[in-house]
């Protein structure tokens, strides 16, 4: 679809069309003005009068005829828009030509499809402002367009994302899965539509990912719901599964999420898993580590179940001779991690809160 460069072309769309008709009705008798307007703006095709006459005789109104033609034109234009990407200059020129269509419900799919087709190109400020000011227009936008708007309006993103997080937390299927610790449930959870809706809204945008994590922590402080710990881990792994390297590389908790996910897949936290996590804590900068985020992940019921399993297994081994058992030291890491999960609310609330170290007694 090529933008027209003809200086003589006049597009009677939206307010421009209304003003043109008002002027016409003001200088001529209304009946004559309507007749002339109809003749000048009829279908520009050969034998139009013959076709109109035939359709008139079949009982079709001009409104129904033109509506059907408009639907066909829009469908054809959408097909062209969805073709090969346009160079940025042609994209912007066509977008400027289609801008008046934003306010016509039957035509707004044209500019919105063009915006969604190449979301990496910036949305012109006048169109951005128009979408911000019209809720129905915003609601009609593809999620790819909304992401650009969310990047410049955190409150708008929060209004979209917070209900999705609440739906994830309250979803009855996910609640039931959290009571089961089998691998097939973990897979079903990772593929659940409630998680997909959140991940799809974020896509590869690091800023939106970090804002979503902030909302999860905020909601945890309000509800104490450990499903938010599951969400924290699952989101990190969703970014991994989608190969969003910028997000993964900037998530200080990703390596821990990977280790925990392996344990969940194996349905056990063994010595190698604990060793991986010890390495993670040894390598991170203790001065700038988001312990609240780590604690939220540790509050995950799947993780707590595996930690409890490991702690009980070690206790069974050392029980006969607790004071002299070589396994005594192996309790420290899983018990510390479990204590962090149980203290998640405190660690999220305060950056200066001490890491809870369990009393060996």
């Amino acid at each position: 679809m090529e933008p027209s460069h003809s200086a003589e072309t006049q597009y009677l769309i939206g307010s421009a069309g209304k003003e043109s008709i008002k002027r016409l009705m003001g200088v001529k008798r209304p009946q004559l003005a309507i007749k002339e307007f109809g003749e000048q703006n009829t279908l520009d095709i050969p034998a139009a009068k013959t076709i109109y006459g035939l359709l008139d005789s079949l009982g079709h109104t001009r409104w129904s005829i033109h509506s059907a033609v408009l639907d066909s034109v829009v469908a054809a234009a959408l097909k062209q828009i969805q073709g090969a990407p346009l160079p940025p200059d042609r994209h912007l020129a066509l977008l400027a030509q289609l801008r008046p269509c934003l306010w016509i419900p039957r035509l707004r799919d044209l500019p919105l499809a063009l915006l969604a087709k190449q979301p990496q190109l910036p949305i012109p400020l006048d169109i951005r402002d128009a979408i911000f000011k019209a809720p129905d227009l915003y609601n009609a936008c593809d999620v790819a367009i909304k992401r650009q708007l969310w990047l410049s309006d955190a409150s708008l993103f929060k209004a979209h994302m917070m209900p999705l997080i609440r739906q994830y937390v309250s979803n009855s299927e996910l609640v039931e899965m959290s009571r089961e610790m089998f691998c097939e449930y973990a897979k079903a959870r990772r593929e659940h539509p409630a998680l997909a809706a959140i991940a799809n809204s974020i896509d590869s945008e690091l800023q939106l990912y970090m804002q979503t994590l902030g909302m999860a922590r905020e909601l945890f402080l309000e509800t104490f719901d450990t499903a938010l710990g599951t969400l924290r881990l699952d989101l990190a792994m969703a970014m991994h599964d989608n190969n969003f390297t910028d997000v993964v590389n900037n998530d200080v908790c990703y390596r821990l999420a990977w280790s925990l996910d392996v344990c969940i897949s194996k349905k056990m936290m063994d010595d190698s898993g604990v060793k991986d996590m010890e390495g993670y804590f040894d390598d991170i900068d203790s001065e700038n580590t988001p312990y609240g985020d780590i604690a939220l992940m540790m509050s995950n019921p799947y993780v707590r179940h595996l930690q409890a399993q490991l702690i009980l297994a070690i206790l069974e081994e050392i029980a006969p001779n607790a004071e002299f058992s070589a396994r005594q030291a192996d309790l420290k890491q899983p018990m510390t991690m479990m204590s962090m999960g149980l203290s998640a609310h405190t660690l999220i609330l305060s950056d200066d809160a001490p890491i809870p170290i369990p009393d060996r007694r």
Side-chain angles (χ1 to χ4, degrees):
M1 175 183 265
E2 293 283 352
S4 172
H5 299 288
S6 172
E8 299 177 0
T9 302
Q10 182 181 15
Y11 297 99
L12 301 180
I13 297 175
S15 60
K18 291 178 182 178
E19 290 303 318
S20 177
I21 292 172
K22 281 183 181 179
R23 286 194 299 271
L24 189 61
M25 299 285 278
V27 298
K28 295 182 179 180
R29 286 181 300 164
Q31 287 184 331
L32 179 61
I34 292 170
K35 181 180 178 182
E36 288 185 2
F37 183 85
E39 291 173 350
Q40 293 169 4
N41 295 280
T42 187
L43 295 177
D44 186 15
I45 58 174
K49 288 185 178 180
T50 302
I51 294 173
Y52 274 125
L54 175 61
L55 293 173
D56 288 344
S57 68
L58 294 173
H60 295 286
T61 64
R62 294 299 169 90
W63 168 254
S64 66
I65 296 168
H66 291 161
S67 292
V69 170
L70 180 61
D71 290 341
S72 297
V73 170
V74 170
L78 283 172
K79 188 174 181 180
Q80 283 190 280
I81 288 173
Q82 291 159 359
L86 296 172
D89 58 337
R90 289 172 61 194
H91 171 90
L92 290 173
L94 181 56
L95 195 54
Q97 183 178 329
L98 291 175
R99 184 182 183 279
C101 298
L102 285 169
W103 287 272
I104 312 298
R106 294 182 67 180
L107 300 179
R108 68 173 41 150
D109 284 350
L110 298 175
L112 294 183
L114 186 60
L115 286 170
K117 177 184 176 181
Q118 294 174 267
Q120 74 279 9
L121 298 178
I123 300 175
L125 286 177
D126 59 337
I127 293 180
R128 183 189 295 264
D129 291 343
I131 295 174
F132 273 135
K133 293 175 182 176
D136 61 327
L137 193 53
Y138 168 78
N139 292 331
C141 288
D142 184 86
V143 69
I145 304 172
K146 290 179 179 178
R147 276 193 213 103
Q148 277 208 50
L149 303 176
W150 295 335
L151 288 170
S152 59
D153 191 328
S155 62
L156 191 64
F157 180 57
K158 186 174 183 178
H160 168 83
M161 182 57 78
M162 193 61 91
L164 295 183
I165 295 176
R166 291 184 185 277
Q167 287 170 22
Y168 174 95
V169 168
S170 62
N171 185 276
S172 58
E173 291 180 350
L174 292 173
V175 170
E176 183 60 31
M177 287 179 196
S178 69
R179 299 190 180 104
E180 303 288 347
M181 299 299 153
F182 300 110
C183 184
E184 55 267 26
Y185 281 99
K187 184 176 184 295
R189 189 187 73 247
R190 291 267 290 275
E191 296 174 352
H192 198 277
L195 177 66
I198 295 172
N200 184 55
S201 296
I202 297 168
D203 198 56
S204 60
E205 294 292 347
L206 176 62
Q207 177 182 324
L208 300 183
Y209 178 72
M210 293 302 181
Q211 288 176 1
T212 301
L213 299 185
M215 291 178 221
R217 293 191 298 272
E218 178 185 329
L219 191 57
F220 183 83
L221 291 177
E222 176 188 325
T223 65
F224 288 80
D225 197 320
T226 57
L228 293 157
T230 308
L231 175 62
R232 177 62 182 91
L233 188 150
D234 282 348
L235 264 185
M237 297 311 299
M239 298 298 109
H240 165 86
D241 292 342
N242 289 321
N243 295 314
F244 295 149
T245 54
D246 185 44
V247 175
V248 168
N249 292 339
N250 284 278
D251 183 358
V252 71
C253 295
Y254 164 70
R255 181 178 159 192
L256 178 62
W258 171 268
S259 297
L260 292 171
D261 188 66
V262 170
C263 293
I264 292 172
S265 296
K266 290 163 48 176
K267 295 181 283 186
M268 63 178 295
M269 186 176 289
D270 53 18
D271 290 342
S272 64
V274 173
K275 188 175 181 181
D276 285 344
M277 284 175 254
E278 286 177 341
Y280 166 78
F281 284 103
D282 289 342
D283 291 343
I284 57 177
D285 179 1
S286 60
E287 295 297 320
N288 298 301
T289 298
Y291 285 111
D293 230 19
I294 294 173
L296 179 60
M297 196 176 290
M298 291 297 181
S299 73
N300 178 336
Y302 293 86
V303 172
R304 283 163 59 172
H305 174 82
L306 296 176
Q307 290 167 342
Q309 272 188 331
L310 176 60
I311 291 168
L312 288 173
I314 295 173
L315 287 173
E316 285 179 356
E317 283 189 43
I318 68 175
N321 196 2
E323 287 298 320
F324 301 100
S325 174
R327 293 280 280 165
Q328 188 81 10
D330 294 341
L331 281 171
K332 180 180 178 181
Q333 190 65 40
M335 290 186 70
T336 299
M337 291 190 296
M338 177 171 275
S339 295
M340 288 182 70
L342 294 171
S343 304
H345 191 275
T346 301
L347 291 172
I348 292 171
L349 203 57
S350 172
D351 293 334
D352 300 323
I355 304 302
I357 305 298
D359 189 329
R360 66 183 292 243
R361 293 173 294 179

